[in-house]
Amino acid sequence: MNHPLSAQQQLDRWLYLNPLARTIPPHIQQCIDILERQRQARDYTPDTSNRYELANLQDELEAESIERAARRNAEHELADYIRGVADETGRLDLLSVSNRLSSCRMSGTVGIIEGRPVMAWDYKCGLVRLCPDESREETQRLTDFYLPSMLDFVNESPMNRVFYSVFTLHNFRPGNLKAGKKYLFERFKEWMTETYSYCPAIQRHGCYIPTRKKTEKVWPQIKGAFVVQEDPLSASGDWNIHLNVFLFVKGEFSYKAVRESWGANIHLKELGRDELSLRSALLEAIKYSAQTVPDKSDRKAADGATAAPAMTEWPHDRWVEWWDANQGFRRTRAYGCLYALHAKRWNAMDLISRVEVLRIAGAPRELCKLEWKEIGRDMKKKDRERLKVAMRKAMTHGERLDMDAVQWVGSVQFTADGRYRVDLIPGDNFSASGGPGGKFSGGFRGSGPPDYGGAA
């Protein structure tokens, strides 16, 4: 298993290879930032007033670390499986995927800002479809971004409602996943925007005379949709591709007519109009439902039910097909009133808000006076897309944490026994200062100064 070099090792290597360098590249600056956070945490000495605060923070982080460690162990199990896939299929590119998963969130620095804890991990894999922590963060970010527009829609009129539905057709055979994923999105778009034509007749001199042909939407009451695609492997070994769909409806809505027009049974449910109901539904729909390790499958098997296999139980060639089919594929899409939401948000912003987005995105300030469609018009397509991707991320993810405002107080490390060790104020004996019942007297799990060497 090849873990990334620690921050110190990367810095030492770069200094050795570039002894005459006069500038520091971004990835090396990140290493320096990590080492500086670690130094501040080592040097931190709490005063009497905040010792109890640190004791409470220690308890809070240790309680959270139980579930976090479970997610890390599952991620490592998946990393081992993908390494086996790479070995059997000869796909050496998958080794980097395995290494990224096995190195994710292995160590970090604990800080406090405005009374709340923060965790700065030394390395995060960024694999939102595979890593449970990355998936949780991405789900929360997308929910926070789309929820305000959902609330705006239902608050516009008492006739406006949001329905949750699951659209699916038949399962797709192995080898057809990529085509099936594309087809189901196209089929849904055709269904939602389908039109029909007719020639209305008027009565004249006792006769009905047809007039000019008119075209109407089949579903004029559907004002928009937010769609999330899922594509797990079924218990029978084929692909269960389906769409989790939020339909934005104004007026009458017939479940029977929807099912008949789609040509298959569709799960439909009207959602509550309050923020909690909509948020809960979004969180549940956006997260990827395929199990990476077989805990859920084991529970279903114990109940005598036929369970879809966990990802680590998939045949290796199926996993390769799934990975390839999802490269560059957008599983979340918006239509109608939710289409081009970033552009609508940008165009509705005042200049101050636009400047803030540009600052977070690292884009030129002068773009604040342009409408969305005008941004990057004179740039090459690749450069324009890169700029707008950065701006979309800035609007979706929001402000980055000001690391200079954080007081770094300790570290967290994932240990060989599959647990997280949380060390705050290393070397400090809290109980000797009159703290509660030897909280720090025996040292923490793996007592002594934490290993600040990196992600291994």
Side-chain angles (χ1 to χ4, degrees), residues 167 187-194 219 222 258 261-262:
F167 282 70
R187 174 74 178 86
F188 174 79
K189 184 177 180 180
E190 290 174 0
W191 173 85
M192 197 182 74
T193 59
E194 186 179 1
W219 302 106
I222 298 180
V258 169
S261 66
W262 178 255

Side-chain angles (χ1 to χ4, degrees), residues 110-367:
V110 181
I112 300 175
I113 182 171
E114 298 178 354
R116 59 185 177 88
V118 295
M119 194 85 73
W121 297 104
D122 295 344
Y123 176 78
K124 296 196 292 186
C125 67
L127 297 168
V128 298
R129 298 294 298 276
L130 299 175
C131 172
D133 284 297
E134 294 288 336
S135 177
R136 284 159 59 93
E137 290 183 3
E138 181 71 6
T139 297
Q140 188 63 57
R141 283 193 291 263
L142 288 174
T143 297
D144 291 342
F145 183 73
Y146 284 101
L147 182 61
S149 296
M150 296 178 70
L151 290 170
D152 289 344
F153 178 80
V154 297
N155 291 330
E156 279 179 3
S157 169
M159 298 180 65
N160 287 3
R161 296 174 291 167
V162 179
F163 292 83
Y164 172 71
S165 54
V166 180
F167 282 70
T168 188
L169 293 170
H170 55 79
N171 284 4
F172 289 82
R173 295 177 180 177
N176 294 329
L177 176 59
K178 185 173 183 179
K181 288 169 65 66
K182 181 180 179 182
Y183 171 75
L184 199 58
F185 263 128
E186 292 175 346
R187 174 74 178 86
F188 174 79
K189 184 177 180 180
E190 290 174 0
W191 173 85
M192 197 182 74
T193 59
E194 186 179 1
T195 61
Y196 65 94
S197 299
Y198 67 99
C199 296
I202 61 173
Q203 188 175 10
R204 182 177 298 170
H205 307 298
C207 299
Y208 286 94
I209 303 173
T211 61
R212 187 175 181 180
K213 183 174 72 173
K214 291 186 177 181
T215 300
E216 300 285 352
K217 290 184 177 180
V218 174
W219 302 106
Q221 66 270 56
I222 298 180
K223 304 303 179 182
F226 177 67
V227 185
V228 183
Q229 186 182 93
E230 294 183 346
D231 52 5
L233 193 68
S234 72
S236 58
D238 49 17
W239 297 108
N240 175 21
I241 309 174
H242 56 277
L243 304 177
N244 296 322
V245 181
F246 292 86
L247 294 172
F248 295 75
V249 177
K250 185 181 184 70
E252 183 181 357
F253 193 60
S254 168
Y255 289 7
K256 180 180 179 181
V258 169
R259 289 170 176 142
E260 289 178 349
S261 66
W262 178 255
N265 189 30
I266 298 174
H267 168 77
L268 286 159
K269 176 185 176 182
E270 183 176 351
L271 300 177
R273 303 173 65 86
D274 59 288
E275 180 176 351
L276 179 60
S277 298
L278 294 174
R279 178 181 290 277
S280 298
L282 272 174
L283 287 171
E284 185 64 26
I286 294 174
K287 71 177 184 180
Y288 186 57
S289 65
Q291 294 294 303
T292 56
V293 295
D295 58 330
K296 185 174 181 181
S297 298
D298 288 345
R299 289 197 300 270
K300 287 187 176 181
D303 295 335
T306 300
M311 189 172 281
T312 53
E313 299 171 323
W314 292 6
H316 289 178
D317 58 341
R318 300 286 190 280
W319 195 90
V320 171
E321 182 185 1
W322 177 86
W323 173 257
D324 290 343
N326 280 283
Q327 298 310 296
F329 189 89
R330 291 185 298 114
R331 65 181 289 256
T332 59
R333 305 190 186 188
Y335 304 89
C337 62
L338 260 68
Y339 178 71
L341 192 55
H342 292 89
K344 295 174 183 177
R345 292 268 179 92
W346 172 265
N347 292 339
M349 286 180 181
D350 56 31
L351 288 180
I352 295 177
S353 300
R354 290 185 179 184
V355 169
E356 183 65 12
V357 169
L358 293 169
R359 184 186 67 80
I360 297 171
R365 178 190 178 101
E366 56 268 20
L367 298 178

